[in-house]
Amino acid sequence: MDSKRLRKSSRQELLEMLLDATEENERLRRENEELRKEIESRRLVCQNTGSLAEAALKLSGIFEAADEALKIYQANLEQSEPPTDQSPSEDTVSVSEAEDTPDGPPDKQ
């Protein structure tokens, strides 16, 4: 608004303009504060997302190490197991035979 118009305005008009400007200023301050809170909230979400991504990568490494350990364990078992013949021995009772008896597996004498 130019200075000529301000000079021609009455006291009442000037007070109304001041009141409007004050209300607008307060509204903008509230909006600014809300936007600052939203930015902070998003910043926290971004930080947590980064933390979750890092945790997922660490877990992935743990799972890879566990998988590698399992492979080594299985390889060691295969190397240490003696070859077995295909026919079951007389001392061995199959699981299905043990389940069929009411008393459980037979006692060995």
Side-chain angles (χ1 to χ4, degrees):
M1 182 177 270
D2 58 19
S3 61
K4 285 184 182 182
R5 184 168 176 218
L6 282 175
R7 287 185 187 147
K8 291 182 180 180
S9 298
S10 69
R11 180 178 273 176
Q12 181 69 26
E13 291 172 333
L14 290 172
L15 288 173
E16 286 176 11
M17 286 190 281
L18 182 61
L19 182 61
D20 290 342
T22 304
E23 289 172 355
E24 179 71 8
N25 189 10
E26 284 301 314
R27 184 188 67 78
L28 291 172
R29 284 180 195 255
R30 285 190 304 271
E31 183 179 337
N32 189 359
E33 185 61 31
E34 289 172 12
L35 291 173
R36 285 180 191 265
K37 288 178 183 177
E38 185 176 336
I39 288 171
E40 184 62 28
S41 172
R42 289 186 184 197
R43 187 174 295 141
L44 290 173
V45 168
C46 289
Q47 288 173 348
N48 289 340
T49 301
S51 298
L52 289 174
E54 290 172 9
L57 287 174
K58 288 178 184 176
L59 284 176
S60 175
I62 290 170
F63 290 136
E64 289 170 359
D67 188 45
E68 187 63 29
L70 177 64
K71 288 178 184 177
I72 292 170
Y73 177 74
Q74 288 174 335
N76 287 339
L77 281 180
E78 290 173 1
Q79 290 175 357
S80 66
E81 285 183 358
T84 60
D85 58 337
Q86 297 297 325
S87 62
S89 67
E90 293 177 8
D91 293 339
T92 306
V93 176
S94 70
V95 175
S96 61
E97 291 173 359
E99 290 175 354
D100 290 340
T101 61
D103 297 329
D107 293 328
K108 293 185 181 181
Q109 296 177 1

